[in-house]
Amino acid sequence: MADQGTDAGQYSTGDMSYILICTALVFFMVPGLAFLYSGLARRKSALSLVLACAFCNAVGIFAWYFWGYSLAFSPTATNGYIGNLHNFGLQNALAEPSPGSPYLPTLLYAFYQSGFACVTLSILMGALAERGRVLPGALVFAFLWLTLVYCPLACWAWNVNGWAARWGVLDYAGGGPVEIGSGVGGLAYSWVLGRRGERELVNFRPHNVGNVALGTFVLWLGWLGFNGGSAFGANLRAVLACVNSNLCAAMGGIAWCLLDFRIERKYTMVGFCSGTIAGLVAATPASGYIPLWASVVLGLLSGVACNFATKIKFLIGIDDALDLFAEHALAGILGLLFNGLFASPALTALDGVSQIPGGWIAGNWIQLPKQLAYVVACCAYTFVGTALLAYLIDRVPGCGLRAGEEAERVGMDEDQVGEFVQDFVEVRRDYLAWGLGSGQVTPAERSEGDLPVKREVRHTAVSVEGAEKGEDGRVRWEAERGAGDRHAATERENGWVPVDGELELEKTEGPLGTAP
């Protein structure tokens, strides 16, 4: 990095400290997404989504350092669409004033913006749910997607020479690069991957609602750094953005829960979390521009609209498993359009730097059409660019993005990771394969930490009248299990026994208690 000789003492240490804290909060959103995604997925594929978020965070950090920041924010690029390599490897990016704010040095600004890139990649990885491979294809895709899709979108909106910025488009903290980029990009990636097997689409529900709630509240905390820090200083506009974000999140959660209650007559934690995230997403492009009362309306509208938008995937036939389009793209679009209506010049100027003509409430009638054109451009570029990139990478030998049918059956954790979110997943699935039917497990057949070699086994005869039979006369042993068993789909494959007329369930005694 070459220092341009600028006096680093010109910057406020208070503002710099604030942005450093906000940067840490933004990066804290990555484990929040990991918890959220793992809780929403089936148990057998939960850890693969945590791994995808972790890997993409690492890839994003390097890609942003390598050339991502330069391609998005290089001040010497004038084409309006993508930067140049003036800041390649963060060269010429130390203590000179940043392109985003004269109150921050470039290195700190680049560090803060790297969190946005990593969070966007992590959101996008939700498209892998239950059928996408993490290595190596998804990581190659992540590096190239950040380069070819995210960086141009960021350049449009936030580079001083970006076409959208020069045109006067209002995008406070990333409605285009972050929310449309991840939401529409996730939809395109899901389209290229294809639908999960039909058996995986039946009775799909979150395996750990506690993790969903934990991830949501971690994200909420991180979002205050995401939106509050986009004022680029400890100023009143940052406070406005944080309060607006809280209002949107609260109203979104309430609206989603009320909609679900009218159908199921129950309130759900997943519904509240979904609405909360929709509200936070809607606040991302708007929280630094609009008055507080408008955030209340925006939160309610985003909760309602995103709730109904979860049905879009069924209409278009794309298996967007974690509703990236409904939660991120649509809510981000709503926030961008609200800027065209309610952006206030007086509120925007609270940071001491920014000046805008405002939206319709300020008599600037052209602002809403500008916002709409920007939305269309971001959506079109993101979908086409993501789909084309994913399609090409998928054709590279060894970089296939989709796991096979067997991988979907046993779960992405076993196929891709070799570890599980909870060890009893492996215990339940591999019970029969361990040879417990004979009461013996040889050392070669077990791994460290498995059951003891010798086991006491008791056999209990159980009638299987009416049990499902295979072509060879075998029956499924799980036919006698309760209807509420959520793991039957996994154990069914190991559950054929060559008995006709009666079924022997093997029950063992030991540290694990009675076998399933």
Side-chain angles (χ1 to χ4, degrees):
M1 296 177 297
D3 192 350
Q4 301 304 304
T6 305
D7 181 11
Q10 68 176 306
Y11 304 115
S12 165
T13 55
D15 283 346
M16 293 179 64
S17 299
Y18 173 69
I19 298 303
L20 281 170
I21 293 172
C22 287
T23 303
L25 289 174
V26 172
F27 275 105
F28 192 48
M29 294 173 70
V30 175
L33 283 164
F35 277 116
L36 175 68
Y37 286 170
S38 67
L40 287 171
R42 282 188 175 88
R43 185 179 289 109
K44 64 181 181 179
S45 297
L47 192 62
S48 65
L49 291 173
V50 177
L51 181 66
C53 290
F55 262 129
C56 283
N57 183 58
V59 169
I61 290 172
F62 172 74
W64 195 251
Y65 154 78
F66 186 68
W67 60 20
Y69 173 77
S70 188
L71 294 176
F73 290 102
S74 172
T76 62
T78 59
N79 61 71
Y81 293 92
I82 192 169
N84 55 29
L85 297 181
H86 174 73
N87 298 118
F88 176 80
L90 290 183
Q91 298 180 80
N92 309 305
L94 187 56
E96 62 180 0
S98 72
S101 169
Y103 294 152
L104 295 180
T106 296
L107 185 61
L108 177 55
Y109 182 78
F111 181 42
Y112 178 67
Q113 289 292 344
S114 70
F116 281 55
C118 293
V119 167
T120 305
L121 283 177
S122 297
I123 297 172
L124 180 58
M125 287 300 103
L128 273 66
E130 304 205 327
R131 82 269 201 200
R133 298 174 62 204
V134 178
L135 293 168
L139 297 190
V140 174
F141 170 85
F143 182 88
L144 294 178
W145 187 87
L146 186 143
T147 301
L148 300 175
V149 178
Y150 179 83
C151 287
L153 293 177
C155 180
W156 297 358
W158 295 328
N159 191 303
V160 292
N161 295 314
W163 69 264
R166 288 185 301 193
W167 198 31
V169 170
L170 303 178
D171 189 351
Y172 175 66
V178 178
E179 308 304 352
I180 291 178
S182 60
V184 175
L187 187 71
Y189 196 94
S190 298
W191 180 53
V192 174
L193 278 184
R195 291 167 58 85
R196 287 168 289 175
E198 291 303 315
R199 59 174 292 166
E200 301 300 321
L201 297 174
V202 176
N203 198 28
F204 175 68
R205 58 185 185 270
H207 95 274
N208 192 323
V209 178
N211 276 1
V212 174
L214 176 61
T216 298
F217 287 109
V218 168
L219 283 170
W220 194 336
L221 173 63
W223 232 298
L224 297 180
F226 199 92
N227 290 349
S230 292
F232 302 123
N235 51 59
L236 191 52
R237 192 184 184 197
V239 179
L240 173 75
C242 288
V243 178
N244 274 335
S245 299
N246 268 0
L247 286 171
C248 275
M251 293 301 101
I254 291 171
W256 194 298
C257 275
L258 290 177
L259 272 180
D260 284 352
F261 182 80
R262 87 187 197 283
I263 297 175
E264 302 177 6
R265 314 308 297 177
K266 293 180 181 178
Y267 302 105
T268 66
M269 192 69 225
V270 173
F272 179 80
C273 291
S274 299
T276 297
I277 292 172
L280 288 167
V281 170
T284 298
S287 57
Y289 292 116
I290 64 177
L292 299 178
W293 63 264
S295 287
V296 174
V297 179
L298 178 58
L300 290 171
L301 181 60
S302 61
V304 172
C306 294
N307 183 298
F308 284 111
T310 58
K311 309 300 186 293
I312 293 176
K313 62 185 179 183
F314 301 110
L315 297 176
I316 61 179
I318 297 179
D319 184 13
D320 185 6
L322 302 185
D323 291 313
L324 300 185
F325 178 80
E327 290 270 14
H328 292 273
L330 182 60
I333 290 170
L334 288 175
L336 287 169
L337 297 182
F338 257 57
N339 287 342
L341 297 172
F342 304 115
S344 166
L347 294 176
T348 304
L350 291 175
D351 61 5
V353 176
S354 304
Q355 296 181 355
I356 63 168
W360 281 15
I361 62 171
N364 183 27
W365 311 110
I366 194 62
Q367 191 62 48
L368 184 60
K370 287 182 178 180
Q371 298 294 114
L372 183 59
Y374 173 69
V375 165
V376 172
C378 288
C379 289
Y381 179 78
T382 300
F383 190 89
V384 173
T386 304
L388 182 60
L389 183 61
Y391 177 83
L392 293 176
I393 292 175
D394 191 45
R395 268 45 185 185
V396 174
C399 287
L401 301 179
R402 177 74 182 260
E405 293 183 7
E406 176 65 13
E408 287 186 53
R409 184 185 68 79
V410 300
M412 293 298 104
D413 292 356
E414 179 171 320
D415 183 75
Q416 298 288 308
V417 186
E419 297 172 319
F420 303 91
V421 289
Q422 294 155 326
D423 61 354
F424 68 78
V425 175
E426 186 175 13
V427 171
R428 295 176 70 93
R429 174 160 55 238
D430 294 338
Y431 174 71
L432 293 181
W434 284 345
L436 291 177
S438 62
Q440 298 287 334
V441 181
T442 65
E445 293 173 333
R446 68 187 184 101
S447 59
E448 184 178 355
D450 281 346
L451 298 176
V453 173
K454 292 183 178 291
R455 306 288 294 168
E456 247 186 73
V457 180
R458 292 185 290 108
H459 299 277
T460 304
V462 179
S463 172
V464 292
E465 182 178 353
E468 181 183 357
K469 294 185 178 181
E471 296 180 356
D472 57 358
R474 296 187 300 170
V475 296
R476 292 190 186 277
W477 64 266
E478 96 286 1
E480 294 293 321
R481 294 186 66 81
D485 181 15
R486 296 177 57 183
H487 307 287
T490 298
E491 298 176 16
R492 181 174 297 136
E493 300 302 319
N494 293 329
W496 292 101
V497 291
V499 179
D500 192 10
E502 66 177 19
L503 174 66
E504 287 191 344
L505 288 181
E506 298 167 349
K507 296 186 178 180
T508 65
E509 296 178 349
L512 294 182
T514 302

Short mmCIF file of all heavy atoms in Angstrom, two decimals, residues 362-405:
data_model
loop_
_atom_site.label_atom_id
_atom_site.label_comp_id
_atom_site.label_asym_id
_atom_site.label_seq_id
_atom_site.Cartn_x
_atom_site.Cartn_y
_atom_site.Cartn_z
N ALA A 362 -40.53 15.89 -1.11
CA ALA A 362 -39.78 17.13 -1.31
C ALA A 362 -40.08 17.76 -2.67
O ALA A 362 -39.42 18.72 -3.06
CB ALA A 362 -38.28 16.87 -1.15
N GLY A 363 -41.05 17.19 -3.39
CA GLY A 363 -41.43 17.73 -4.69
C GLY A 363 -40.54 17.29 -5.84
O GLY A 363 -40.63 17.82 -6.95
N ASN A 364 -39.68 16.31 -5.61
CA ASN A 364 -38.79 15.81 -6.67
C ASN A 364 -39.45 14.60 -7.33
O ASN A 364 -39.19 13.45 -6.99
CB ASN A 364 -37.43 15.43 -6.07
CG ASN A 364 -36.44 14.98 -7.12
OD1 ASN A 364 -36.52 15.37 -8.28
ND2 ASN A 364 -35.50 14.15 -6.72
N TRP A 365 -40.29 14.86 -8.32
CA TRP A 365 -41.13 13.81 -8.88
C TRP A 365 -40.36 12.81 -9.74
O TRP A 365 -40.81 11.68 -9.94
CB TRP A 365 -42.25 14.43 -9.72
CG TRP A 365 -42.97 15.52 -9.01
CD1 TRP A 365 -42.95 16.86 -9.28
CD2 TRP A 365 -43.79 15.37 -7.84
NE1 TRP A 365 -43.71 17.56 -8.38
CE2 TRP A 365 -44.24 16.67 -7.49
CE3 TRP A 365 -44.19 14.29 -7.06
CZ2 TRP A 365 -45.07 16.90 -6.39
CZ3 TRP A 365 -45.01 14.52 -5.97
CH2 TRP A 365 -45.46 15.80 -5.64
N ILE A 366 -39.19 13.18 -10.23
CA ILE A 366 -38.42 12.28 -11.10
C ILE A 366 -37.68 11.20 -10.31
O ILE A 366 -37.19 10.21 -10.88
CB ILE A 366 -37.40 13.09 -11.94
CG1 ILE A 366 -36.84 12.25 -13.10
CG2 ILE A 366 -36.28 13.60 -11.05
CD1 ILE A 366 -37.87 11.79 -14.08
N GLN A 367 -37.62 11.35 -8.97
CA GLN A 367 -36.81 10.42 -8.18
C GLN A 367 -37.35 8.99 -8.23
O GLN A 367 -36.58 8.03 -8.33
CB GLN A 367 -36.72 10.88 -6.72
CG GLN A 367 -35.69 10.12 -5.90
CD GLN A 367 -34.29 10.31 -6.42
OE1 GLN A 367 -33.85 11.43 -6.69
NE2 GLN A 367 -33.56 9.21 -6.60
N LEU A 368 -38.67 8.82 -8.16
CA LEU A 368 -39.23 7.47 -8.17
C LEU A 368 -38.95 6.75 -9.49
O LEU A 368 -38.54 5.57 -9.46
CB LEU A 368 -40.73 7.51 -7.88
CG LEU A 368 -41.40 6.14 -7.77
CD1 LEU A 368 -40.79 5.30 -6.66
CD2 LEU A 368 -42.91 6.30 -7.53
N PRO A 369 -39.14 7.38 -10.66
CA PRO A 369 -38.75 6.70 -11.91
C PRO A 369 -37.27 6.32 -11.95
O PRO A 369 -36.90 5.27 -12.47
CB PRO A 369 -39.10 7.72 -12.99
CG PRO A 369 -40.19 8.55 -12.40
CD PRO A 369 -39.86 8.64 -10.94
N LYS A 370 -36.41 7.18 -11.40
CA LYS A 370 -34.98 6.83 -11.34
C LYS A 370 -34.76 5.58 -10.49
O LYS A 370 -33.98 4.70 -10.87
CB LYS A 370 -34.19 8.00 -10.75
CG LYS A 370 -34.01 9.19 -11.67
CD LYS A 370 -33.16 10.26 -11.00
CE LYS A 370 -32.94 11.45 -11.92
NZ LYS A 370 -32.10 12.50 -11.29
N GLN A 371 -35.43 5.54 -9.35
CA GLN A 371 -35.29 4.38 -8.48
C GLN A 371 -35.78 3.11 -9.17
O GLN A 371 -35.17 2.04 -9.07
CB GLN A 371 -36.07 4.60 -7.19
CG GLN A 371 -35.61 5.77 -6.34
CD GLN A 371 -34.24 5.61 -5.76
OE1 GLN A 371 -33.31 6.36 -6.10
NE2 GLN A 371 -34.06 4.64 -4.90
N LEU A 372 -36.89 3.22 -9.88
CA LEU A 372 -37.46 2.06 -10.57
C LEU A 372 -36.53 1.58 -11.69
O LEU A 372 -36.32 0.36 -11.85
CB LEU A 372 -38.83 2.42 -11.14
CG LEU A 372 -39.60 1.30 -11.83
CD1 LEU A 372 -39.85 0.14 -10.88
CD2 LEU A 372 -40.93 1.82 -12.39
N ALA A 373 -35.95 2.50 -12.42
CA ALA A 373 -35.02 2.11 -13.48
C ALA A 373 -33.79 1.41 -12.91
O ALA A 373 -33.28 0.43 -13.47
CB ALA A 373 -34.60 3.36 -14.28
N TYR A 374 -33.32 1.92 -11.78
CA TYR A 374 -32.18 1.30 -11.11
C TYR A 374 -32.51 -0.12 -10.66
O TYR A 374 -31.69 -1.04 -10.80
CB TYR A 374 -31.79 2.18 -9.92
CG TYR A 374 -30.74 1.61 -9.00
CD1 TYR A 374 -29.42 1.46 -9.42
CD2 TYR A 374 -31.05 1.25 -7.69
CE1 TYR A 374 -28.44 0.96 -8.56
CE2 TYR A 374 -30.09 0.75 -6.82
CZ TYR A 374 -28.79 0.61 -7.27
OH TYR A 374 -27.83 0.12 -6.42
N VAL A 375 -33.71 -0.32 -10.12
CA VAL A 375 -34.15 -1.65 -9.69
C VAL A 375 -34.16 -2.61 -10.87
O VAL A 375 -33.66 -3.75 -10.78
CB VAL A 375 -35.55 -1.57 -9.04
CG1 VAL A 375 -36.17 -2.95 -8.93
CG2 VAL A 375 -35.46 -0.91 -7.68
N VAL A 376 -34.73 -2.19 -11.98
CA VAL A 376 -34.80 -3.05 -13.17
C VAL A 376 -33.40 -3.40 -13.66
O VAL A 376 -33.11 -4.56 -13.99
CB VAL A 376 -35.62 -2.37 -14.29
CG1 VAL A 376 -35.54 -3.18 -15.58
CG2 VAL A 376 -37.07 -2.20 -13.86
N ALA A 377 -32.51 -2.42 -13.70
CA ALA A 377 -31.14 -2.67 -14.17
C ALA A 377 -30.43 -3.66 -13.25
O ALA A 377 -29.76 -4.60 -13.73
CB ALA A 377 -30.37 -1.36 -14.23
N CYS A 378 -30.56 -3.48 -11.95
CA CYS A 378 -29.90 -4.39 -11.00
C CYS A 378 -30.45 -5.80 -11.12
O CYS A 378 -29.68 -6.78 -11.12
CB CYS A 378 -30.07 -3.87 -9.58
SG CYS A 378 -29.09 -2.41 -9.18
N CYS A 379 -31.77 -5.93 -11.20
CA CYS A 379 -32.37 -7.26 -11.28
C CYS A 379 -31.96 -7.98 -12.56
O CYS A 379 -31.60 -9.17 -12.52
CB CYS A 379 -33.90 -7.15 -11.22
SG CYS A 379 -34.55 -6.70 -9.59
N ALA A 380 -32.01 -7.28 -13.68
CA ALA A 380 -31.68 -7.91 -14.96
C ALA A 380 -30.22 -8.32 -15.01
O ALA A 380 -29.88 -9.45 -15.40
CB ALA A 380 -32.01 -6.94 -16.11
N TYR A 381 -29.33 -7.41 -14.62
CA TYR A 381 -27.91 -7.72 -14.67
C TYR A 381 -27.56 -8.87 -13.73
O TYR A 381 -26.80 -9.78 -14.08
CB TYR A 381 -27.09 -6.49 -14.32
CG TYR A 381 -25.60 -6.75 -14.33
CD1 TYR A 381 -24.90 -6.81 -15.54
CD2 TYR A 381 -24.89 -6.96 -13.15
CE1 TYR A 381 -23.54 -7.07 -15.57
CE2 TYR A 381 -23.53 -7.21 -13.17
CZ TYR A 381 -22.86 -7.28 -14.38
OH TYR A 381 -21.51 -7.55 -14.40
N THR A 382 -28.13 -8.84 -12.53
CA THR A 382 -27.81 -9.87 -11.54
C THR A 382 -28.30 -11.24 -11.98
O THR A 382 -27.56 -12.23 -11.88
CB THR A 382 -28.44 -9.51 -10.18
OG1 THR A 382 -27.92 -8.26 -9.74
CG2 THR A 382 -28.13 -10.58 -9.14
N PHE A 383 -29.53 -11.33 -12.46
CA PHE A 383 -30.06 -12.64 -12.83
C PHE A 383 -29.30 -13.22 -14.02
O PHE A 383 -28.86 -14.39 -13.98
CB PHE A 383 -31.55 -12.55 -13.17
CG PHE A 383 -32.20 -13.89 -13.34
CD1 PHE A 383 -32.75 -14.55 -12.24
CD2 PHE A 383 -32.24 -14.54 -14.57
CE1 PHE A 383 -33.34 -15.80 -12.38
CE2 PHE A 383 -32.82 -15.79 -14.71
CZ PHE A 383 -33.37 -16.42 -13.61
N VAL A 384 -29.11 -12.43 -15.05
CA VAL A 384 -28.42 -12.94 -16.24
C VAL A 384 -26.97 -13.26 -15.92
O VAL A 384 -26.46 -14.34 -16.28
CB VAL A 384 -28.51 -11.91 -17.39
CG1 VAL A 384 -27.65 -12.36 -18.57
CG2 VAL A 384 -29.96 -11.72 -17.84
N GLY A 385 -26.29 -12.35 -15.22
CA GLY A 385 -24.89 -12.58 -14.90
C GLY A 385 -24.68 -13.78 -13.99
O GLY A 385 -23.77 -14.59 -14.21
N THR A 386 -25.53 -13.93 -12.99
CA THR A 386 -25.39 -15.06 -12.06
C THR A 386 -25.70 -16.38 -12.75
O THR A 386 -24.96 -17.37 -12.58
CB THR A 386 -26.34 -14.88 -10.86
OG1 THR A 386 -26.07 -13.63 -10.23
CG2 THR A 386 -26.16 -16.00 -9.85
N ALA A 387 -26.79 -16.41 -13.50
CA ALA A 387 -27.18 -17.66 -14.17
C ALA A 387 -26.11 -18.09 -15.18
O ALA A 387 -25.75 -19.27 -15.25
CB ALA A 387 -28.52 -17.48 -14.87
N LEU A 388 -25.60 -17.15 -15.94
CA LEU A 388 -24.58 -17.48 -16.94
C LEU A 388 -23.30 -17.97 -16.26
O LEU A 388 -22.70 -18.97 -16.68
CB LEU A 388 -24.29 -16.26 -17.81
CG LEU A 388 -23.28 -16.45 -18.94
CD1 LEU A 388 -23.75 -17.52 -19.92
CD2 LEU A 388 -23.04 -15.13 -19.68
N LEU A 389 -22.89 -17.28 -15.21
CA LEU A 389 -21.67 -17.68 -14.51
C LEU A 389 -21.82 -19.06 -13.88
O LEU A 389 -20.92 -19.92 -13.99
CB LEU A 389 -21.35 -16.64 -13.44
CG LEU A 389 -20.07 -16.83 -12.64
CD1 LEU A 389 -18.86 -16.81 -13.54
CD2 LEU A 389 -19.96 -15.75 -11.56
N ALA A 390 -22.96 -19.31 -13.23
CA ALA A 390 -23.18 -20.62 -12.61
C ALA A 390 -23.23 -21.73 -13.65
O ALA A 390 -22.69 -22.83 -13.45
CB ALA A 390 -24.48 -20.60 -11.80
N TYR A 391 -23.87 -21.45 -14.79
CA TYR A 391 -23.97 -22.45 -15.85
C TYR A 391 -22.59 -22.82 -16.39
O TYR A 391 -22.28 -24.00 -16.59
CB TYR A 391 -24.85 -21.90 -16.97
CG TYR A 391 -24.97 -22.82 -18.17
CD1 TYR A 391 -25.90 -23.87 -18.18
CD2 TYR A 391 -24.15 -22.66 -19.28
CE1 TYR A 391 -26.01 -24.71 -19.28
CE2 TYR A 391 -24.25 -23.49 -20.38
CZ TYR A 391 -25.18 -24.52 -20.37
OH TYR A 391 -25.27 -25.37 -21.46
N LEU A 392 -21.74 -21.82 -16.60
CA LEU A 392 -20.41 -22.09 -17.15
C LEU A 392 -19.53 -22.84 -16.15
O LEU A 392 -18.82 -23.78 -16.52
CB LEU A 392 -19.75 -20.77 -17.56
CG LEU A 392 -20.40 -20.02 -18.73
CD1 LEU A 392 -19.70 -18.69 -18.96
CD2 LEU A 392 -20.37 -20.87 -20.00
N ILE A 393 -19.58 -22.44 -14.89
CA ILE A 393 -18.77 -23.13 -13.88
C ILE A 393 -19.23 -24.57 -13.71
O ILE A 393 -18.42 -25.50 -13.55
CB ILE A 393 -18.84 -22.38 -12.54
CG1 ILE A 393 -18.13 -21.03 -12.66
CG2 ILE A 393 -18.22 -23.20 -11.41
CD1 ILE A 393 -18.23 -20.17 -11.43
N ASP A 394 -20.53 -24.78 -13.78
CA ASP A 394 -21.07 -26.12 -13.63
C ASP A 394 -20.58 -27.06 -14.73
O ASP A 394 -20.56 -28.28 -14.54
CB ASP A 394 -22.60 -26.05 -13.64
CG ASP A 394 -23.24 -27.36 -13.21
OD1 ASP A 394 -22.78 -27.95 -12.21
OD2 ASP A 394 -24.21 -27.80 -13.87
N ARG A 395 -20.19 -26.50 -15.88
CA ARG A 395 -19.71 -27.32 -17.01
C ARG A 395 -18.22 -27.59 -16.95
O ARG A 395 -17.69 -28.36 -17.75
CB ARG A 395 -20.02 -26.63 -18.34
CG ARG A 395 -21.35 -27.00 -18.99
CD ARG A 395 -22.46 -27.02 -18.05
NE ARG A 395 -23.74 -27.47 -18.61
CZ ARG A 395 -24.85 -27.45 -17.92
NH1 ARG A 395 -24.84 -26.99 -16.66
NH2 ARG A 395 -25.99 -27.87 -18.43
N VAL A 396 -17.52 -26.97 -16.00
CA VAL A 396 -16.08 -27.20 -15.87
C VAL A 396 -15.87 -28.54 -15.15
O VAL A 396 -16.46 -28.77 -14.09
CB VAL A 396 -15.42 -26.07 -15.08
CG1 VAL A 396 -13.94 -26.38 -14.82
CG2 VAL A 396 -15.57 -24.75 -15.80
N PRO A 397 -15.06 -29.44 -15.71
CA PRO A 397 -14.83 -30.74 -15.05
C PRO A 397 -14.33 -30.57 -13.63
O PRO A 397 -13.40 -29.81 -13.36
CB PRO A 397 -13.75 -31.38 -15.94
CG PRO A 397 -13.94 -30.75 -17.28
CD PRO A 397 -14.36 -29.34 -17.01
N GLY A 398 -14.99 -31.26 -12.71
CA GLY A 398 -14.62 -31.20 -11.30
C GLY A 398 -15.25 -30.07 -10.52
O GLY A 398 -15.08 -30.00 -9.30
N CYS A 399 -15.97 -29.18 -11.21
CA CYS A 399 -16.57 -28.03 -10.54
C CYS A 399 -18.10 -28.08 -10.55
O CYS A 399 -18.75 -27.03 -10.42
CB CYS A 399 -16.10 -26.72 -11.19
SG CYS A 399 -14.40 -26.28 -10.81
N GLY A 400 -18.67 -29.25 -10.72
CA GLY A 400 -20.12 -29.35 -10.74
C GLY A 400 -20.74 -28.77 -9.48
O GLY A 400 -20.26 -29.00 -8.37
N LEU A 401 -21.80 -27.99 -9.64
CA LEU A 401 -22.42 -27.30 -8.52
C LEU A 401 -23.45 -28.15 -7.80
O LEU A 401 -23.78 -27.89 -6.65
CB LEU A 401 -23.08 -26.01 -9.02
CG LEU A 401 -22.18 -25.00 -9.71
CD1 LEU A 401 -22.99 -23.79 -10.16
CD2 LEU A 401 -21.04 -24.57 -8.80
N ARG A 402 -23.98 -29.18 -8.46
CA ARG A 402 -25.08 -29.96 -7.88
C ARG A 402 -24.56 -31.31 -7.38
O ARG A 402 -23.80 -32.00 -8.05
CB ARG A 402 -26.16 -30.18 -8.95
CG ARG A 402 -27.35 -31.06 -8.54
CD ARG A 402 -28.27 -30.32 -7.61
NE ARG A 402 -29.37 -31.15 -7.16
CZ ARG A 402 -30.61 -31.11 -7.67
NH1 ARG A 402 -30.89 -30.27 -8.65
NH2 ARG A 402 -31.57 -31.88 -7.19
N ALA A 403 -24.98 -31.67 -6.17
CA ALA A 403 -24.66 -32.99 -5.65
C ALA A 403 -25.63 -34.01 -6.25
O ALA A 403 -26.68 -33.65 -6.78
CB ALA A 403 -24.76 -32.99 -4.13
N GLY A 404 -25.29 -35.28 -6.16
CA GLY A 404 -26.11 -36.33 -6.75
C GLY A 404 -27.31 -36.71 -5.90
O GLY A 404 -27.48 -36.23 -4.76
N GLU A 405 -28.13 -37.61 -6.42
CA GLU A 405 -29.33 -38.05 -5.72
C GLU A 405 -28.98 -38.75 -4.40
O GLU A 405 -29.66 -38.57 -3.39
CB GLU A 405 -30.15 -38.99 -6.61
CG GLU A 405 -30.75 -38.30 -7.83
CD GLU A 405 -31.60 -39.25 -8.65
OE1 GLU A 405 -31.82 -40.39 -8.20
OE2 GLU A 405 -32.07 -38.85 -9.73
#
